[in-house]
Amino acid sequence: MAGERQAASGPRAKVKIVIDGRSHEFPAGLTILEACQRVGIKVPFFCWHPGLSAPAVCRQCLVEIKGFPKPIPSCYTPVADKMEVITNSPKVLEVRRQMLEFTLLNHPIDCPICDKAGECLLQKHYFDWDARLARNDGSKVRKAKVVDLGRYIVLDQERCILCTRCIRVCNEVARRPDLVIAFRADRQLLTT
């Protein structure tokens, strides 16, 4: 169907952008994150998925754009002609590190027994480019470890990083808005 729409409207316009000092050409409408992936530049993310909308909640994919006052989420921002993107400036790396520290603030340190051990993006990002000791004194907000969400799903609210992917799958794919984020700040949790 997408191919039919594209054929009817003609080929998509191309835009020229510079990523980390190298010039590239991409179809208009592509996000900066997708453009980076196409040329092999690794930009970290948690909440983005190619089949879902991009809420830009995790702030791991922040990049710098020349002329913009602060880093912006690459998963949400479309490429534009003559855009200059910097994915690895000290400013961007520090903001990403701070956001990762914030995500880890109340995350349990139970990697050896976690079912995602070895496949965890949170762990991978930490070891790839942060690996600093946390400034947390060790006290964490405790949440429910075993939440029954139905016949097939048991949720550990402490391990959930609130990326909202599951909520978007319910809303956009299944068309059943069964999951929500409740409360605010460090008391936020995924629930029905």
Side-chain angles (χ1 to χ4, degrees), residues 123-141:
Q123 191 179 59
K124 181 183 178 338
H125 293 337
Y126 176 76
F127 285 117
D128 279 355
W129 55 270
D130 183 20
R132 293 187 193 174
L133 292 174
R135 294 178 285 176
N136 185 353
D137 62 4
S139 59
K140 295 177 180 272
V141 173

Side-chain angles (χ1 to χ4, degrees), residues 44-184:
F45 60 86
F46 292 127
C47 66
W48 180 80
H49 186 280
L52 300 172
S53 63
V57 296
C58 72
R59 294 295 197 247
Q60 283 302 295
C61 69
L62 293 175
V63 295
E64 213 172 332
I65 296 180
K66 206 170 197 174
F68 282 63
K70 59 185 180 181
I72 61 158
S74 64
C75 70
Y76 189 78
T77 310
V79 294
D81 207 32
K82 299 179 183 158
M83 180 182 272
E84 289 187 46
V85 178
I86 305 157
T87 65
N88 57 5
S89 71
K91 180 180 181 179
V92 165
L93 296 177
E94 181 58 18
V95 172
R96 282 186 198 155
R97 191 199 65 73
Q98 290 169 351
M99 292 310 298
L100 185 60
E101 182 180 16
F102 182 68
T103 302
L104 286 165
L105 185 65
N106 289 307
H107 199 76
I109 309 301
D110 57 2
C111 299
I113 61 166
C114 179
D115 56 341
K116 290 292 280 185
E119 299 175 14
C120 174
L121 278 178
L122 187 60
Q123 191 179 59
K124 181 183 178 338
H125 293 337
Y126 176 76
F127 285 117
D128 279 355
W129 55 270
D130 183 20
R132 293 187 193 174
L133 292 174
R135 294 178 285 176
N136 185 353
D137 62 4
S139 59
K140 295 177 180 272
V141 173
R142 298 287 176 215
K143 296 178 183 175
K145 295 295 282 178
V146 180
V147 179
D148 183 6
L149 291 181
R151 291 176 58 187
Y152 305 107
I153 301 172
V154 176
L155 170 67
D156 181 339
Q157 288 177 333
E158 283 185 340
R159 287 186 190 160
C160 175
I161 62 168
L162 304 168
C163 70
T164 71
R165 276 190 188 189
C166 59
I167 293 172
R168 288 176 285 137
V169 166
C170 287
N171 294 349
E172 298 169 19
V173 178
R175 304 231 186 266
R176 289 190 49 140
D178 293 331
L179 298 175
V180 295
I181 298 288
F183 308 115
R184 299 184 88 173

